Amino acid sequence: MSRSGKKKPVGFATHITAGGIAGGCEALVCQPLDTIKVRMQLSRSGRHPGTKPRGVFATGAYIIRRETPLALYKGLGAVLSGIVPKMAIRFASFEAYKGWLADKSTGKTSVGGIFLAGLGAGTTEAIAVVTPMEVVKIRLQAQQHSLADPLDAPRYRNAGHAVYTIIREEGFATLYRGVSLTALRQATNQGANFTAYQEIKKLAHRLQPDVAELPSYQHMAIGLISGAMGPFSNAPIDTIKTRLQKATAVPGTSAVQRIVAIAKDMWVMEGFRSFYKGITPRVLRVAPGQAIVFAVYERVSTAMEKITLVHEDDGYSE
């Protein structure tokens, strides 16, 4: 608390630190579901009449049986190296955009302003971190080699080797393949995510006027609900993006042509439902992931605010 008694706005460093820690926690817990989601999206099973695509549990069991349980964590290095800056950028940019869109007289941001701030945050993280991280992650996750067999050598040994190989063989621009779809997915994700979270959080405070700070379990519940909004709104975009980023570019074709070709092939060969492949593990990953992210973020940012206030009070008392 400042001398005037007013609560000071949370600093940029707090958003960066809290967002980064929250992102790391989410990655460690939710990576297996992301690997299953990617394998389901890349799978061509179910193309032939009378056959069905593998479900969540069948895909997970198939990976474990053929590649060992550690295979569920393929791509974790790429995720951890990217998710900490991604979450830091997400929360810091959201708060910045929200501040710019706030009413100058009241300092409050409308629901529409929060949605726009979420769109901006999603686009920012997609361009700065998410696209190259996803290209590397998907290439690693798509490798169906056994981690128990030392002779079964994969094309990409780890995240660093994948980055080196992709740049050397396909060029630096490959790391930004699918950036438009990634930006669209992240923008709609965060627009829906932050809007739902902020509005439900306001409702929770109105229903509990005597509670100054919501407990962590309520932050988790709100994050769980808000986190499920994005995947249902943009599943086709995510599936096309995954296939685009896994594939090697065909010379002489533009990004738009490749996107159209992938969508057309999916529609003709696999039907409408193929655009929603991997939706179950994606929701199961994203929704609990956001529950973890928001709960950890709120807890860390609150702790950092208290530490800052203690230091300020000590300074005032000297």
Side-chain angles (χ1 to χ4, degrees), residues 17-36:
T17 306
I21 293 172
C25 292
E26 182 209 9
L28 291 171
V29 173
C30 300
Q31 182 64 13
L33 284 167
D34 188 71
T35 299
I36 292 171

Side-chain angles (χ1 to χ4, degrees), residues 45-201:
S45 64
R47 282 192 165 204
H48 302 293
T51 62
K52 291 182 178 181
R54 286 193 197 97
V56 179
F57 296 110
T59 301
Y62 183 77
I63 293 170
I64 291 170
R65 187 170 64 251
R66 291 195 64 212
E67 306 168 47
T68 78
L70 282 176
L72 293 172
Y73 282 90
K74 283 181 178 179
L76 180 62
V79 173
L80 283 175
S81 62
I83 200 165
V84 173
K86 178 182 86 169
M87 289 298 177
I89 289 169
R90 174 185 297 177
F91 281 100
S93 62
F94 171 75
E95 293 296 334
Y97 297 142
K98 190 174 84 166
W100 295 339
L101 293 166
D103 186 300
K104 302 306 177 188
S105 59
T106 64
K108 294 182 178 180
T109 309
S110 66
V111 176
I114 290 172
F115 182 73
L116 288 175
L119 289 180
T123 303
T124 302
E125 70 179 15
I127 296 170
V129 179
V130 176
T131 304
M133 180 190 78
E134 292 250 317
V135 171
V136 173
K137 175 181 72 70
I138 287 168
R139 294 292 182 95
L140 290 167
Q141 289 174 320
Q143 298 183 130
Q144 300 188 23
H145 66 287
S146 173
L147 297 177
D149 184 359
L151 299 178
D152 189 2
R155 183 180 183 189
Y156 308 114
R157 294 192 297 271
N158 50 51
H161 182 250
V163 171
Y164 172 77
T165 305
I166 290 168
I167 293 175
R168 187 188 65 188
E169 296 181 358
E170 302 174 57
F172 180 81
T174 302
L175 292 175
Y176 277 86
R177 180 175 297 159
V179 64
S180 58
L181 290 177
T182 304
L184 183 59
R185 184 197 68 176
Q186 293 303 113
T188 51
N189 265 354
Q190 301 318 316
N193 188 19
F194 277 113
T195 303
Y197 183 81
Q198 296 277 328
E199 290 306 302
I200 298 173
K201 184 178 171 183

Side-chain angles (χ1 to χ4, degrees), residues 83 213 294:
I83 200 165
E213 293 288 342
F294 278 115

Side-chain angles (χ1 to χ4, degrees), residues 4-26:
S4 63
K6 291 182 179 179
K7 186 178 180 181
K8 293 182 68 177
V10 179
F12 183 78
T14 300
H15 294 304
I16 291 286
T17 306
I21 293 172
C25 292
E26 182 209 9

